[in-house]
Amino acid sequence: MVNTTQLECFLAVANYLNFSRAAQQLHITQPAVSHQINTLEAELEVKLFHRTSKNVRLTQAGHQFSQYAQEILKLTGLSRARMRQWREELPQRLGLGCRNFLALRALQRPLARLRLEEPQLLPVLRQVPSAALENLLEDEDVQAIFTTQKEAGPKVSRRALADCPVVCVCAPDDPLAGYGQLSLEQLGQFGQRVASCPLPLYSPPFSSVLSHVLAGREPERMLFCDSLEIACTLVESGYAFTVLPDLPGARLPGLRYIRLPEFEPLSFGALYRTGSLTPTLKRLFALLEEELAAPAQ
């Protein structure tokens, strides 16, 4: 197939009628120019130049083809410019992942601020279980994962953003709601049901907390839910309480959040591939850190 290098060599020789000067203009060797002209003539199956030891001149076919060559190069340049402009105008995509909707709630206000600062930014949010989420980061489908998981792989770095106390979350008319803090023993005394989800929807540090809460409970006092949204809906309806990390900015309105001091606060942060901390991602971390520093409502 005819390519732009062949066309550029042809037009340079047609302009100078001299292979050496054409090679100088193109910053390549004379044999390279000759090779491009020979392959072009072979492709077109016509002779473009009369060549002797003393001079070079265009054939009739060469004169005719020079018009096409200029148009083709002009169109090629225009196409490249249009494609470059199109790429520059495309939204800048930022893949962000989490295991459940709590981190999404915490991201809402920082993302709203980032949208005003970087109008071309388009966040791509992924909510998937533990193992799949880590695969997305490894494959670079997401640029950051927001989690209380501390362990990072060999090519993964972690940015700590906030410490989250472990809390009991219940409806305002639940018997637990009147307490300022609760112990595991007290959680078991009232007979309320506890709503929980499959462990992959939680980070490993919190899965350990949840195991302590569920230990020894009768099956009829446990509600296993497919998602954290379902669990929280049951809590809002007064059917159960649940246990969560108290992530600032992610609290559900109207519910009571009661500290469980037997558990150490969990570190909420972001996992990202080492060496891939872009200015946009760094700015999002700063905005989120600022949001999480605000007192819980």
Side-chain angles (χ1 to χ4, degrees):
M1 296 291 294
V2 175
N3 58 58
T4 55
T5 302
Q6 292 172 328
L7 298 179
E8 289 167 351
C9 287
F10 167 75
L11 289 174
V13 175
N15 182 45
Y16 291 108
L17 295 179
N18 185 292
F19 278 74
S20 296
R21 292 183 65 186
Q24 291 173 2
Q25 179 201 335
L26 298 170
H27 304 290
I28 59 177
T29 64
Q30 181 177 332
V33 173
S34 297
H35 173 73
Q36 293 297 330
I37 298 300
N38 289 337
T39 57
L40 178 60
E41 290 178 329
E43 290 284 349
L44 299 175
E45 298 182 351
V46 295
K47 205 72 174 171
L48 299 172
F49 295 100
H50 290 298
R51 285 168 271 187
T52 68
S53 58
K54 294 183 179 181
N55 60 53
V56 176
R57 59 188 176 86
L58 283 165
T59 64
Q60 188 63 34
H63 279 291
Q64 186 73 21
F65 183 69
S66 64
Q67 301 174 36
Y68 302 136
Q70 292 177 26
E71 289 298 319
I72 293 170
L73 283 180
K74 181 179 178 181
L75 183 59
T76 300
L78 179 61
S79 299
R80 287 174 176 169
R82 290 285 173 83
M83 290 299 100
R84 183 166 55 250
Q85 180 183 7
W86 176 74
R87 288 195 304 270
E88 291 172 353
E89 291 175 354
L90 280 177
Q92 175 192 348
R93 295 181 180 272
L94 180 64
L96 306 173
C98 61
R99 290 185 175 85
N100 55 58
F101 82 115
L102 292 179
L104 293 178
R105 288 178 60 85
L107 280 169
Q108 187 269 321
R109 281 189 287 269
L111 285 176
R113 293 175 61 184
L114 194 61
R115 177 179 61 85
L116 299 177
E117 297 178 12
E118 301 187 29
Q120 288 299 108
L121 179 68
L122 180 61
V124 179
L125 305 179
R126 305 292 297 273
Q127 181 183 325
V128 293
S130 176
L133 195 58
E134 291 165 12
N135 291 338
L136 290 178
L137 183 63
E138 182 178 345
D139 295 340
E140 300 185 67
D141 288 332
V142 297
Q143 282 70 62
I145 297 172
F146 296 95
T147 176
T148 55
Q149 176 181 333
K150 285 188 175 181
E151 296 78 14
K155 297 181 180 179
V156 177
S157 299
R158 187 178 191 273
R159 168 78 173 266
L161 297 171
D163 288 332
C164 302
V166 177
V167 292
C168 164
V169 184
C170 64
D173 60 349
D174 190 289
L176 298 172
Y179 287 81
Q181 62 180 33
L182 287 164
S183 66
L184 277 176
E185 183 180 359
Q186 288 173 310
L187 284 180
Q189 286 176 348
F190 285 87
Q192 270 85 350
R193 299 182 183 91
V194 57
S196 67
C197 303
L199 293 184
L201 295 182
Y202 302 107
S203 63
F206 185 73
S207 297
S208 175
V209 170
L210 191 61
S211 296
H212 282 86
V213 174
L214 297 178
R217 284 186 170 268
E218 298 85 355
E220 62 271 14
R221 294 173 61 201
M222 293 186 285
L223 296 177
F224 293 103
C225 308
D226 291 334
S227 72
L228 196 55
E229 290 92 334
I230 294 175
C232 288
T233 298
L234 292 173
V235 171
E236 290 173 315
S237 303
Y239 286 94
F241 72 88
T242 192
V243 177
L244 296 172
D246 190 9
L247 183 60
R251 282 192 170 190
L252 296 167
L255 296 181
R256 287 278 288 120
Y257 285 70
I258 307 161
R259 179 82 179 268
L260 302 178
E262 290 177 51
F263 300 106
E264 292 292 325
L266 301 176
S267 175
F268 178 77
L271 301 179
Y272 61 94
R273 289 179 64 86
T274 302
S276 65
L277 185 56
T278 63
T280 297
L281 194 56
K282 187 175 181 180
R283 178 58 179 157
L284 176 60
F285 290 168
L287 291 172
L288 185 54
E289 200 167 30
E290 184 180 322
E291 175 71 24
L292 296 178
Q297 301 297 316

